[in-house]
Amino acid sequence: MRLAPDDDFTLELELDELVSADPSATLAGKLAAQLGATPAELPPLEIRKRSLDARHGRVRFHVVVGAAGRAPLGGEPVREGSGPPVVIVGGGPAGLFCAYELARAAIPAVIVDRGKPVQARRRDLKGLTQHGRVDPDSNYCYGEGGAGTYSDGKLYTRSHKRGDVRDVIEILAIHGAPDDILIDARPHIGSNKLPRVITALRQTLASVGSTIEFGARAVDLVIGGRDGRERRAIGVRLADGRELTGRAVVIATGHSARSTRSRSSTGSSTAAPPGTRSCRRPRTGSPTRPTAAASSPSACVRAAGWCRPRPSRAGWW
Ligand SMILES: Cc1cc2nc3c(=O)[nH]c(=O)nc-3n(C[C@H](O)[C@H](O)[C@H](O)COP(=O)(O)OP(=O)(O)OC[C@H]3O[C@@H](n4cnc5c(N)ncnc54)[C@H](O)[C@@H]3O)c2cc1C
């Protein structure tokens, strides 16, 4: 019996049926009964979704199954980039996934983050919780992986307008997150595993020429453009005085970066210059992917659905 690759079937299982020695036999038996076939007639099955239902004092699982063997995990692969990079400020989820999406379009990125690599952050958090020492650049909010990296790792959203959540989940899974996140209705990585996943994500980006600079706090935009006449963001100035330039700038500094955003009140730029994009946390995937034909990184990022210009009266820096 053939099942179409995208056909989903919902089954209800008691707890002991799901944790039995051979849950796939149980699934095949139940689905065969539902379809009026025998288990032997069915192709190999895979669980696509699993949710717990403990209402009315009875624990059972709702399981969605389908024919095994769908497309390999991870979606479109990243590719070696060339040409000037996109400068991304912030190595939280928004910045990292923006770089990943650009790498799928073979556009290199340089991420600058004021904090430290994800593993090194752990020491500073210990200093904070045990000795009350706050490192202004490396703490629960700042550093590789962004805010929340050392707090939890819940992956679900109640919003249905967040794009392709599955894409983000698959990228996390191929970078070492537990496979359970692919099927659980309430996926959760856990802060003990998340740092390893983020390190692996950084290594993937590095393998195609996208890099992360740590301890690199951006303090201003570099404005310029062709012929000296254009006025657009072409890079950032760092606290140590260096300037990093590229073909576009993405601001992905998250909610916690109030000091960054309130710089305008102390006399720097007062509005988002053309060419700057403010990036919120990844809207878990993209309805449309950037293609190699994307004419510019900003078009690519726009196509990816990650970033939306967000002019603010308060300015950017
Ligand atoms: C304690 C806590 C627990 C959370 N738990 C969860 C959860 O379980 N599940 C969930 O979905 N969400 C959770 N969140 C929310 C989630 O962490 C945020 O929504 C998400 O991190 C936002 O991503 P972002 O990339 O936009 O910004 P951020 O994660 O804030 O990343 C911004 C990055 O920019 C860097 N940065 C800031 N200013 C500068 C600068 N001037 N120069 C260079 N770098 C800069 C910072 O170091 C940081 O790495 C939690 C948040 C917190 C605080």
PDB file of all heavy atoms in Angstrom, residues 89-95 112-115 141-143 145-148 151-154 216-218 252-257 260 280-281, ligand 1:
ATOM      1  N   VAL A  89      25.584  43.004  13.468  1.00  0.00           N
ATOM      2  CA  VAL A  89      25.887  43.369  14.858  1.00  0.00           C
ATOM      3  C   VAL A  89      25.005  42.519  15.767  1.00  0.00           C
ATOM      4  O   VAL A  89      23.787  42.664  15.778  1.00  0.00           O
ATOM      5  CB  VAL A  89      25.626  44.867  15.116  1.00  0.00           C
ATOM      6  CG1 VAL A  89      26.080  45.237  16.531  1.00  0.00           C
ATOM      7  CG2 VAL A  89      26.346  45.721  14.091  1.00  0.00           C
ATOM      8  N   GLY A  90      25.626  41.607  16.510  1.00  0.00           N
ATOM      9  CA  GLY A  90      24.877  40.757  17.440  1.00  0.00           C
ATOM     10  C   GLY A  90      24.920  39.300  17.026  1.00  0.00           C
ATOM     11  O   GLY A  90      24.555  38.954  15.899  1.00  0.00           O
ATOM     12  N   GLY A  91      25.380  38.452  17.940  1.00  0.00           N
ATOM     13  CA  GLY A  91      25.471  37.014  17.665  1.00  0.00           C
ATOM     14  C   GLY A  91      24.437  36.226  18.442  1.00  0.00           C
ATOM     15  O   GLY A  91      24.686  35.112  18.885  1.00  0.00           O
ATOM     16  N   GLY A  92      23.255  36.813  18.622  1.00  0.00           N
ATOM     17  CA  GLY A  92      22.136  36.081  19.215  1.00  0.00           C
ATOM     18  C   GLY A  92      21.431  35.285  18.125  1.00  0.00           C
ATOM     19  O   GLY A  92      21.935  35.172  17.000  1.00  0.00           O
ATOM     20  N   PRO A  93      20.255  34.735  18.434  1.00  0.00           N
ATOM     21  CA  PRO A  93      19.537  33.948  17.423  1.00  0.00           C
ATOM     22  C   PRO A  93      19.316  34.715  16.125  1.00  0.00           C
ATOM     23  O   PRO A  93      19.513  34.160  15.039  1.00  0.00           O
ATOM     24  CB  PRO A  93      18.197  33.634  18.092  1.00  0.00           C
ATOM     25  CG  PRO A  93      18.423  33.803  19.553  1.00  0.00           C
ATOM     26  CD  PRO A  93      19.563  34.753  19.730  1.00  0.00           C
ATOM     27  N   ALA A  94      18.948  35.998  16.226  1.00  0.00           N
ATOM     28  CA  ALA A  94      18.667  36.758  14.999  1.00  0.00           C
ATOM     29  C   ALA A  94      19.924  36.886  14.149  1.00  0.00           C
ATOM     30  O   ALA A  94      19.899  36.639  12.939  1.00  0.00           O
ATOM     31  CB  ALA A  94      18.105  38.134  15.344  1.00  0.00           C
ATOM     32  N   GLY A  95      21.048  37.260  14.785  1.00  0.00           N
ATOM     33  CA  GLY A  95      22.291  37.450  14.035  1.00  0.00           C
ATOM     34  C   GLY A  95      22.804  36.142  13.450  1.00  0.00           C
ATOM     35  O   GLY A  95      23.215  36.080  12.285  1.00  0.00           O
ATOM     36  N   VAL A 112      29.686  40.729  14.602  1.00  0.00           N
ATOM     37  CA  VAL A 112      30.440  41.287  15.732  1.00  0.00           C
ATOM     38  C   VAL A 112      29.561  41.191  16.969  1.00  0.00           C
ATOM     39  O   VAL A 112      28.383  41.535  16.937  1.00  0.00           O
ATOM     40  CB  VAL A 112      30.887  42.754  15.492  1.00  0.00           C
ATOM     41  CG1 VAL A 112      31.883  42.820  14.366  1.00  0.00           C
ATOM     42  CG2 VAL A 112      29.719  43.685  15.220  1.00  0.00           C
ATOM     43  N   ASP A 113      30.134  40.664  18.028  1.00  0.00           N
ATOM     44  CA  ASP A 113      29.370  40.567  19.276  1.00  0.00           C
ATOM     45  C   ASP A 113      30.214  41.114  20.417  1.00  0.00           C
ATOM     46  O   ASP A 113      31.402  40.812  20.524  1.00  0.00           O
ATOM     47  CB  ASP A 113      28.963  39.122  19.570  1.00  0.00           C
ATOM     48  CG  ASP A 113      27.832  39.075  20.589  1.00  0.00           C
ATOM     49  OD1 ASP A 113      28.097  39.358  21.789  1.00  0.00           O
ATOM     50  OD2 ASP A 113      26.684  38.791  20.192  1.00  0.00           O
ATOM     51  N   ARG A 114      29.583  41.894  21.273  1.00  0.00           N
ATOM     52  CA  ARG A 114      30.313  42.512  22.382  1.00  0.00           C
ATOM     53  C   ARG A 114      30.750  41.478  23.417  1.00  0.00           C
ATOM     54  O   ARG A 114      31.661  41.719  24.201  1.00  0.00           O
ATOM     55  CB  ARG A 114      29.442  43.582  23.041  1.00  0.00           C
ATOM     56  CG  ARG A 114      28.179  43.042  23.668  1.00  0.00           C
ATOM     57  CD  ARG A 114      27.218  44.142  24.075  1.00  0.00           C
ATOM     58  NE  ARG A 114      27.729  44.949  25.173  1.00  0.00           N
ATOM     59  CZ  ARG A 114      27.165  46.079  25.597  1.00  0.00           C
ATOM     60  NH1 ARG A 114      26.065  46.518  25.005  1.00  0.00           N
ATOM     61  NH2 ARG A 114      27.672  46.749  26.592  1.00  0.00           N
ATOM     62  N   GLY A 115      30.091  40.325  23.421  1.00  0.00           N
ATOM     63  CA  GLY A 115      30.355  39.322  24.449  1.00  0.00           C
ATOM     64  C   GLY A 115      31.406  38.307  24.043  1.00  0.00           C
ATOM     65  O   GLY A 115      32.211  38.530  23.144  1.00  0.00           O
ATOM     66  N   CYS A 141      22.567  38.254  29.160  1.00  0.00           N
ATOM     67  CA  CYS A 141      22.004  38.828  27.932  1.00  0.00           C
ATOM     68  C   CYS A 141      23.016  38.907  26.801  1.00  0.00           C
ATOM     69  O   CYS A 141      22.655  38.775  25.635  1.00  0.00           O
ATOM     70  CB  CYS A 141      21.461  40.225  28.211  1.00  0.00           C
ATOM     71  SG  CYS A 141      19.997  40.205  29.235  1.00  0.00           S
ATOM     72  N   TYR A 142      24.273  39.151  27.126  1.00  0.00           N
ATOM     73  CA  TYR A 142      25.263  39.427  26.082  1.00  0.00           C
ATOM     74  C   TYR A 142      26.253  38.285  25.923  1.00  0.00           C
ATOM     75  O   TYR A 142      26.750  37.739  26.905  1.00  0.00           O
ATOM     76  CB  TYR A 142      26.038  40.702  26.410  1.00  0.00           C
ATOM     77  CG  TYR A 142      25.189  41.951  26.406  1.00  0.00           C
ATOM     78  CD1 TYR A 142      25.518  43.036  27.211  1.00  0.00           C
ATOM     79  CD2 TYR A 142      24.067  42.048  25.595  1.00  0.00           C
ATOM     80  CE1 TYR A 142      24.749  44.187  27.208  1.00  0.00           C
ATOM     81  CE2 TYR A 142      23.291  43.187  25.587  1.00  0.00           C
ATOM     82  CZ  TYR A 142      23.636  44.258  26.393  1.00  0.00           C
ATOM     83  OH  TYR A 142      22.878  45.392  26.387  1.00  0.00           O
ATOM     84  N   GLY A 143      26.590  38.019  24.671  1.00  0.00           N
ATOM     85  CA  GLY A 143      27.548  36.975  24.344  1.00  0.00           C
ATOM     86  C   GLY A 143      26.953  36.060  23.284  1.00  0.00           C
ATOM     87  O   GLY A 143      25.768  36.168  22.938  1.00  0.00           O
ATOM     88  N   GLY A 145      25.163  33.455  21.182  1.00  0.00           N
ATOM     89  CA  GLY A 145      23.906  32.750  21.470  1.00  0.00           C
ATOM     90  C   GLY A 145      22.832  33.710  21.949  1.00  0.00           C
ATOM     91  O   GLY A 145      21.647  33.416  21.883  1.00  0.00           O
ATOM     92  N   GLY A 146      23.273  34.875  22.470  1.00  0.00           N
ATOM     93  CA  GLY A 146      22.322  35.911  22.851  1.00  0.00           C
ATOM     94  C   GLY A 146      21.643  35.667  24.187  1.00  0.00           C
ATOM     95  O   GLY A 146      22.044  34.804  24.976  1.00  0.00           O
ATOM     96  N   ALA A 147      20.597  36.435  24.429  1.00  0.00           N
ATOM     97  CA  ALA A 147      19.863  36.356  25.697  1.00  0.00           C
ATOM     98  C   ALA A 147      19.187  34.995  25.806  1.00  0.00           C
ATOM     99  O   ALA A 147      18.750  34.427  24.823  1.00  0.00           O
ATOM    100  CB  ALA A 147      18.828  37.466  25.746  1.00  0.00           C
ATOM    101  N   GLY A 148      19.129  34.471  26.991  1.00  0.00           N
ATOM    102  CA  GLY A 148      18.363  33.243  27.187  1.00  0.00           C
ATOM    103  C   GLY A 148      19.145  31.976  26.905  1.00  0.00           C
ATOM    104  O   GLY A 148      18.682  30.882  27.215  1.00  0.00           O
ATOM    105  N   SER A 151      19.526  30.088  29.933  1.00  0.00           N
ATOM    106  CA  SER A 151      18.362  30.069  30.796  1.00  0.00           C
ATOM    107  C   SER A 151      17.473  28.869  30.521  1.00  0.00           C
ATOM    108  O   SER A 151      17.056  28.164  31.419  1.00  0.00           O
ATOM    109  CB  SER A 151      17.581  31.355  30.613  1.00  0.00           C
ATOM    110  OG  SER A 151      16.314  31.200  31.137  1.00  0.00           O
ATOM    111  N   ASP A 152      17.183  28.620  29.240  1.00  0.00           N
ATOM    112  CA  ASP A 152      16.213  27.560  29.022  1.00  0.00           C
ATOM    113  C   ASP A 152      16.419  26.880  27.669  1.00  0.00           C
ATOM    114  O   ASP A 152      17.263  26.026  27.535  1.00  0.00           O
ATOM    115  CB  ASP A 152      14.800  28.137  29.149  1.00  0.00           C
ATOM    116  CG  ASP A 152      13.801  27.060  29.501  1.00  0.00           C
ATOM    117  OD1 ASP A 152      14.135  25.892  29.315  1.00  0.00           O
ATOM    118  OD2 ASP A 152      12.693  27.382  29.942  1.00  0.00           O
ATOM    119  N   GLY A 153      15.690  27.289  26.669  1.00  0.00           N
ATOM    120  CA  GLY A 153      15.819  26.631  25.375  1.00  0.00           C
ATOM    121  C   GLY A 153      14.509  26.091  24.862  1.00  0.00           C
ATOM    122  O   GLY A 153      14.471  25.152  24.073  1.00  0.00           O
ATOM    123  N   LYS A 154      13.416  26.698  25.342  1.00  0.00           N
ATOM    124  CA  LYS A 154      12.112  26.322  24.781  1.00  0.00           C
ATOM    125  C   LYS A 154      12.079  26.817  23.343  1.00  0.00           C
ATOM    126  O   LYS A 154      12.544  27.901  23.050  1.00  0.00           O
ATOM    127  CB  LYS A 154      10.968  27.003  25.549  1.00  0.00           C
ATOM    128  CG  LYS A 154      10.901  26.670  27.014  1.00  0.00           C
ATOM    129  CD  LYS A 154       9.701  27.345  27.651  1.00  0.00           C
ATOM    130  CE  LYS A 154       9.775  28.861  27.645  1.00  0.00           C
ATOM    131  NZ  LYS A 154      10.779  29.434  28.543  1.00  0.00           N
ATOM    132  N   ALA A 216      33.712  42.520  20.576  1.00  0.00           N
ATOM    133  CA  ALA A 216      33.678  43.577  19.557  1.00  0.00           C
ATOM    134  C   ALA A 216      32.375  44.359  19.703  1.00  0.00           C
ATOM    135  O   ALA A 216      31.359  43.999  19.109  1.00  0.00           O
ATOM    136  CB  ALA A 216      33.784  42.953  18.167  1.00  0.00           C
ATOM    137  N   ARG A 217      32.422  45.384  20.529  1.00  0.00           N
ATOM    138  CA  ARG A 217      31.206  46.174  20.766  1.00  0.00           C
ATOM    139  C   ARG A 217      31.102  47.278  19.725  1.00  0.00           C
ATOM    140  O   ARG A 217      31.999  48.114  19.607  1.00  0.00           O
ATOM    141  CB  ARG A 217      31.215  46.771  22.181  1.00  0.00           C
ATOM    142  CG  ARG A 217      29.939  47.520  22.533  1.00  0.00           C
ATOM    143  CD  ARG A 217      29.824  47.708  24.033  1.00  0.00           C
ATOM    144  NE  ARG A 217      30.986  48.381  24.591  1.00  0.00           N
ATOM    145  CZ  ARG A 217      31.118  49.707  24.669  1.00  0.00           C
ATOM    146  NH1 ARG A 217      30.149  50.489  24.249  1.00  0.00           N
ATOM    147  NH2 ARG A 217      32.208  50.229  25.190  1.00  0.00           N
ATOM    148  N   ALA A 218      30.028  47.250  18.975  1.00  0.00           N
ATOM    149  CA  ALA A 218      29.821  48.291  17.964  1.00  0.00           C
ATOM    150  C   ALA A 218      29.329  49.551  18.655  1.00  0.00           C
ATOM    151  O   ALA A 218      28.429  49.488  19.499  1.00  0.00           O
ATOM    152  CB  ALA A 218      28.798  47.816  16.938  1.00  0.00           C
ATOM    153  N   ALA A 252      21.315  43.392  14.875  1.00  0.00           N
ATOM    154  CA  ALA A 252      20.585  42.289  15.521  1.00  0.00           C
ATOM    155  C   ALA A 252      20.947  42.265  16.998  1.00  0.00           C
ATOM    156  O   ALA A 252      21.375  41.250  17.538  1.00  0.00           O
ATOM    157  CB  ALA A 252      20.936  40.969  14.836  1.00  0.00           C
ATOM    158  N   THR A 253      20.780  43.424  17.645  1.00  0.00           N
ATOM    159  CA  THR A 253      21.277  43.560  19.018  1.00  0.00           C
ATOM    160  C   THR A 253      20.248  43.188  20.082  1.00  0.00           C
ATOM    161  O   THR A 253      20.553  43.257  21.273  1.00  0.00           O
ATOM    162  CB  THR A 253      21.768  45.002  19.269  1.00  0.00           C
ATOM    163  OG1 THR A 253      20.762  45.904  18.815  1.00  0.00           O
ATOM    164  CG2 THR A 253      23.054  45.285  18.531  1.00  0.00           C
ATOM    165  N   GLY A 254      19.048  42.810  19.675  1.00  0.00           N
ATOM    166  CA  GLY A 254      18.082  42.289  20.644  1.00  0.00           C
ATOM    167  C   GLY A 254      17.468  43.345  21.539  1.00  0.00           C
ATOM    168  O   GLY A 254      17.751  44.538  21.436  1.00  0.00           O
ATOM    169  N   HIS A 255      16.632  42.854  22.452  1.00  0.00           N
ATOM    170  CA  HIS A 255      15.886  43.757  23.336  1.00  0.00           C
ATOM    171  C   HIS A 255      16.762  44.370  24.422  1.00  0.00           C
ATOM    172  O   HIS A 255      16.448  45.403  24.970  1.00  0.00           O
ATOM    173  CB  HIS A 255      14.777  42.982  24.060  1.00  0.00           C
ATOM    174  CG  HIS A 255      13.712  42.495  23.152  1.00  0.00           C
ATOM    175  ND1 HIS A 255      12.812  43.346  22.572  1.00  0.00           N
ATOM    176  CD2 HIS A 255      13.404  41.257  22.719  1.00  0.00           C
ATOM    177  CE1 HIS A 255      11.987  42.634  21.819  1.00  0.00           C
ATOM    178  NE2 HIS A 255      12.332  41.368  21.889  1.00  0.00           N
ATOM    179  N   SER A 256      17.858  43.673  24.764  1.00  0.00           N
ATOM    180  CA  SER A 256      18.611  44.082  25.944  1.00  0.00           C
ATOM    181  C   SER A 256      19.555  45.242  25.672  1.00  0.00           C
ATOM    182  O   SER A 256      20.112  45.810  26.606  1.00  0.00           O
ATOM    183  CB  SER A 256      19.436  42.902  26.454  1.00  0.00           C
ATOM    184  OG  SER A 256      18.756  41.704  26.277  1.00  0.00           O
ATOM    185  N   ALA A 257      19.767  45.557  24.393  1.00  0.00           N
ATOM    186  CA  ALA A 257      20.812  46.515  24.043  1.00  0.00           C
ATOM    187  C   ALA A 257      20.324  47.954  24.135  1.00  0.00           C
ATOM    188  O   ALA A 257      20.453  48.727  23.198  1.00  0.00           O
ATOM    189  CB  ALA A 257      21.334  46.212  22.644  1.00  0.00           C
ATOM    190  N   THR A 260      22.972  50.598  23.567  1.00  0.00           N
ATOM    191  CA  THR A 260      23.301  50.799  22.160  1.00  0.00           C
ATOM    192  C   THR A 260      22.285  51.722  21.510  1.00  0.00           C
ATOM    193  O   THR A 260      22.621  52.667  20.820  1.00  0.00           O
ATOM    194  CB  THR A 260      23.303  49.441  21.436  1.00  0.00           C
ATOM    195  OG1 THR A 260      24.205  48.581  22.109  1.00  0.00           O
ATOM    196  CG2 THR A 260      23.722  49.582  19.993  1.00  0.00           C
ATOM    197  N   ARG A 280      14.914  41.557  14.271  1.00  0.00           N
ATOM    198  CA  ARG A 280      14.383  40.977  15.493  1.00  0.00           C
ATOM    199  C   ARG A 280      14.835  39.544  15.566  1.00  0.00           C
ATOM    200  O   ARG A 280      15.484  39.050  14.670  1.00  0.00           O
ATOM    201  CB  ARG A 280      12.866  41.035  15.470  1.00  0.00           C
ATOM    202  CG  ARG A 280      12.412  42.470  15.458  1.00  0.00           C
ATOM    203  CD  ARG A 280      10.934  42.524  15.344  1.00  0.00           C
ATOM    204  NE  ARG A 280      10.532  43.898  15.160  1.00  0.00           N
ATOM    205  CZ  ARG A 280       9.301  44.242  14.907  1.00  0.00           C
ATOM    206  NH1 ARG A 280       8.367  43.334  14.814  1.00  0.00           N
ATOM    207  NH2 ARG A 280       8.996  45.499  14.746  1.00  0.00           N
ATOM    208  N   ARG A 281      14.442  38.849  16.626  1.00  0.00           N
ATOM    209  CA  ARG A 281      14.871  37.464  16.699  1.00  0.00           C
ATOM    210  C   ARG A 281      14.318  36.716  15.501  1.00  0.00           C
ATOM    211  O   ARG A 281      13.322  37.115  14.919  1.00  0.00           O
ATOM    212  CB  ARG A 281      14.423  36.829  18.003  1.00  0.00           C
ATOM    213  CG  ARG A 281      12.974  36.490  18.049  1.00  0.00           C
ATOM    214  CD  ARG A 281      12.743  35.613  19.237  1.00  0.00           C
ATOM    215  NE  ARG A 281      11.378  35.731  19.666  1.00  0.00           N
ATOM    216  CZ  ARG A 281      10.856  34.971  20.593  1.00  0.00           C
ATOM    217  NH1 ARG A 281      11.582  34.093  21.203  1.00  0.00           N
ATOM    218  NH2 ARG A 281       9.614  35.104  20.935  1.00  0.00           N
TER     219      ARG A 281
HETATM  220  C1  LIG B   1      16.430  34.741  30.878  1.00  0.00           C
HETATM  221  C2  LIG B   1      15.831  34.563  29.509  1.00  0.00           C
HETATM  222  C3  LIG B   1      15.285  33.315  29.144  1.00  0.00           C
HETATM  223  C4  LIG B   1      14.728  33.134  27.876  1.00  0.00           C
HETATM  224  N1  LIG B   1      14.241  31.895  27.517  1.00  0.00           N
HETATM  225  C5  LIG B   1      13.739  31.702  26.276  1.00  0.00           C
HETATM  226  C6  LIG B   1      13.275  30.433  25.860  1.00  0.00           C
HETATM  227  O1  LIG B   1      13.323  29.459  26.591  1.00  0.00           O
HETATM  228  N2  LIG B   1      12.773  30.321  24.606  1.00  0.00           N
HETATM  229  C7  LIG B   1      12.706  31.396  23.747  1.00  0.00           C
HETATM  230  O2  LIG B   1      12.251  31.228  22.603  1.00  0.00           O
HETATM  231  N3  LIG B   1      13.135  32.617  24.116  1.00  0.00           N
HETATM  232  C8  LIG B   1      13.647  32.790  25.356  1.00  0.00           C
HETATM  233  N4  LIG B   1      14.087  34.036  25.730  1.00  0.00           N
HETATM  234  C9  LIG B   1      13.969  35.131  24.771  1.00  0.00           C
HETATM  235  C10 LIG B   1      15.089  35.022  23.750  1.00  0.00           C
HETATM  236  O3  LIG B   1      16.315  34.819  24.405  1.00  0.00           O
HETATM  237  C11 LIG B   1      15.135  36.305  22.922  1.00  0.00           C
HETATM  238  O4  LIG B   1      13.881  36.511  22.322  1.00  0.00           O
HETATM  239  C12 LIG B   1      16.189  36.159  21.844  1.00  0.00           C
HETATM  240  O5  LIG B   1      17.451  35.911  22.421  1.00  0.00           O
HETATM  241  C13 LIG B   1      16.270  37.428  21.002  1.00  0.00           C
HETATM  242  O6  LIG B   1      17.226  37.188  20.004  1.00  0.00           O
HETATM  243  P1  LIG B   1      18.045  38.360  19.305  1.00  0.00           P
HETATM  244  O7  LIG B   1      19.089  37.707  18.482  1.00  0.00           O
HETATM  245  O8  LIG B   1      17.082  39.293  18.669  1.00  0.00           O
HETATM  246  O9  LIG B   1      18.708  39.196  20.485  1.00  0.00           O
HETATM  247  P2  LIG B   1      19.692  38.751  21.645  1.00  0.00           P
HETATM  248  O10 LIG B   1      19.550  37.313  21.948  1.00  0.00           O
HETATM  249  O11 LIG B   1      19.501  39.737  22.748  1.00  0.00           O
HETATM  250  O12 LIG B   1      21.135  38.938  20.996  1.00  0.00           O
HETATM  251  C14 LIG B   1      21.702  40.191  20.810  1.00  0.00           C
HETATM  252  C15 LIG B   1      23.200  40.030  20.737  1.00  0.00           C
HETATM  253  O13 LIG B   1      23.741  41.290  20.388  1.00  0.00           O
HETATM  254  C16 LIG B   1      24.915  41.509  21.134  1.00  0.00           C
HETATM  255  N5  LIG B   1      25.072  42.966  21.231  1.00  0.00           N
HETATM  256  C17 LIG B   1      24.237  43.852  21.829  1.00  0.00           C
HETATM  257  N6  LIG B   1      24.687  45.111  21.650  1.00  0.00           N
HETATM  258  C18 LIG B   1      25.825  45.012  20.908  1.00  0.00           C
HETATM  259  C19 LIG B   1      26.759  45.960  20.388  1.00  0.00           C
HETATM  260  N7  LIG B   1      26.621  47.275  20.577  1.00  0.00           N
HETATM  261  N8  LIG B   1      27.823  45.496  19.686  1.00  0.00           N
HETATM  262  C20 LIG B   1      27.999  44.161  19.469  1.00  0.00           C
HETATM  263  N9  LIG B   1      27.149  43.230  19.942  1.00  0.00           N
HETATM  264  C21 LIG B   1      26.075  43.649  20.641  1.00  0.00           C
HETATM  265  C22 LIG B   1      24.692  40.825  22.466  1.00  0.00           C
HETATM  266  O14 LIG B   1      25.921  40.439  23.063  1.00  0.00           O
HETATM  267  C23 LIG B   1      23.844  39.616  22.058  1.00  0.00           C
HETATM  268  O15 LIG B   1      24.635  38.472  21.841  1.00  0.00           O
HETATM  269  C24 LIG B   1      14.676  34.230  26.980  1.00  0.00           C
HETATM  270  C25 LIG B   1      15.240  35.472  27.346  1.00  0.00           C
HETATM  271  C26 LIG B   1      15.827  35.637  28.585  1.00  0.00           C
HETATM  272  C27 LIG B   1      16.448  36.974  28.938  1.00  0.00           C
END
